[in-house]
Amino acid sequence: MSENTFDALVQEIRNCRICVDSPFKMPLAHKPRPVLSVSKSAKICICGQAPGTRVHASGKPFTDPSGVRLRSWLNLEEDVFYDVSKVAIVPMGFCFPGQDSRGSDLPPRRECRHHWHDSLFENMSQIELILVIGQYAMSYHLKDRMKANLTDTVGAWREYWYEGRDEWQPRVMPMPHPSWRNNSWLKKNSWFEADVLPVLRQEIARLI
């Protein structure tokens, strides 16, 4: 796909209203605001869940405390993290999905994955490292290679990191979400910060 055609695809995504105009189930309850950051040159791709309320308001990914922690995990300054020529950010749901009765974010809208993700990743073949954050991103990027739960999947990171290191296949690193809600998980699973992050930071430094 040429640069112009890729740009047209990205613009289509930014203008998308599928979850309102032809949703799988209930339509999105607010005006869509797709959030993504992509290019044909970025070697790193961060694949998370969906924008929250702050990101929906800013239109910029990870402009919240989760983003602060994620940048710390990756050892990336904010200007590098948001340099689209180096780092792509592709959530499983491009728009804020809304909240349930308890005030928790709903799952990512399935329309995004169905309509856009295959085409988008097929046309970013330059990606060498995919950071897969949370179970919804894992179900797409790892497919039947997922383990029984998120902890087991992240715990098997070496399996994904080293498997199939063909030159055309990117490395994949499964990760927990950097939300404060996962503080207890991080405390129980201290191996993530001790063992995983040094390897990840080294590879990111090489690609940047």
Side-chain angles (χ1 to χ4, degrees):
M1 179 180 283
S2 70
E3 190 75 35
N4 288 342
T5 308
F6 179 77
D7 289 345
L9 171 63
V10 175
Q11 193 58 50
E12 274 193 85
I13 295 172
R14 294 192 190 282
N15 294 334
C16 180
R17 290 180 49 86
I18 291 172
C19 57
V20 172
D21 297 336
S22 54
F24 286 164
K25 291 186 178 180
M26 293 295 293
L28 190 67
H30 51 267
K31 183 179 178 180
R33 189 178 193 184
V35 177
L36 74 160
S37 179
V38 293
S39 71
K40 292 284 283 181
S41 61
K43 298 293 182 64
I44 301 165
C45 189
I46 299 170
C47 303
Q49 299 191 141
T53 53
R54 294 192 186 190
V55 173
H56 178 67
S58 70
K60 188 176 181 180
F62 288 105
T63 50
D64 53 21
S66 294
V68 174
R69 173 177 273 171
L70 179 59
R71 288 187 286 276
S72 175
W73 281 355
L74 307 182
N75 197 29
L76 287 179
E77 296 295 332
E78 192 168 340
D79 60 334
V80 178
F81 182 85
Y82 287 115
D83 185 341
V84 70
S85 70
K86 297 177 180 178
V87 179
I89 302 175
V90 182
M92 289 309 302
F94 294 122
C95 292
F96 171 53
Q99 296 178 325
D100 62 21
S101 59
R102 298 170 298 175
S104 298
D105 288 358
L106 293 168
R109 300 285 306 202
R110 293 186 300 115
E111 293 90 345
C112 301
R113 173 176 176 167
H114 180 78
H115 287 282
W116 299 119
H117 279 68
D118 288 354
S119 295
L120 192 56
F121 281 99
E122 284 169 6
N123 290 286
M124 291 197 299
S125 58
Q126 84 284 353
I127 296 294
E128 295 186 30
L129 172 62
I130 299 178
L131 310 184
V132 185
I133 300 175
Q135 62 177 334
Y136 294 102
M138 289 176 187
S139 71
Y140 178 78
H141 291 281
L142 298 178
K143 298 180 173 62
D144 58 355
R145 296 177 294 158
M146 283 183 68
K147 307 303 179 184
N149 53 53
L150 183 142
T151 300
D152 289 348
T153 302
V154 178
W157 66 273
R158 291 180 180 86
E159 175 183 329
Y160 307 115
W161 189 252
Y162 294 111
E163 74 177 2
R165 283 300 295 137
D166 299 315
E167 61 183 18
W168 61 85
Q169 186 174 7
R171 288 187 184 275
V172 176
M173 178 65 83
M175 302 174 66
H177 198 281
S179 167
W180 61 268
R181 293 185 178 88
N182 279 337
N183 284 350
S184 61
W185 187 95
L186 293 166
K187 188 174 181 179
K188 291 177 184 177
N189 299 279
S190 58
W191 49 266
F192 173 74
E193 293 186 328
D195 299 338
V196 178
L197 292 187
V199 174
L200 183 57
R201 287 168 176 167
Q202 184 177 20
E203 178 68 358
I204 287 173
R206 182 185 74 83
L207 294 173
I208 292 294

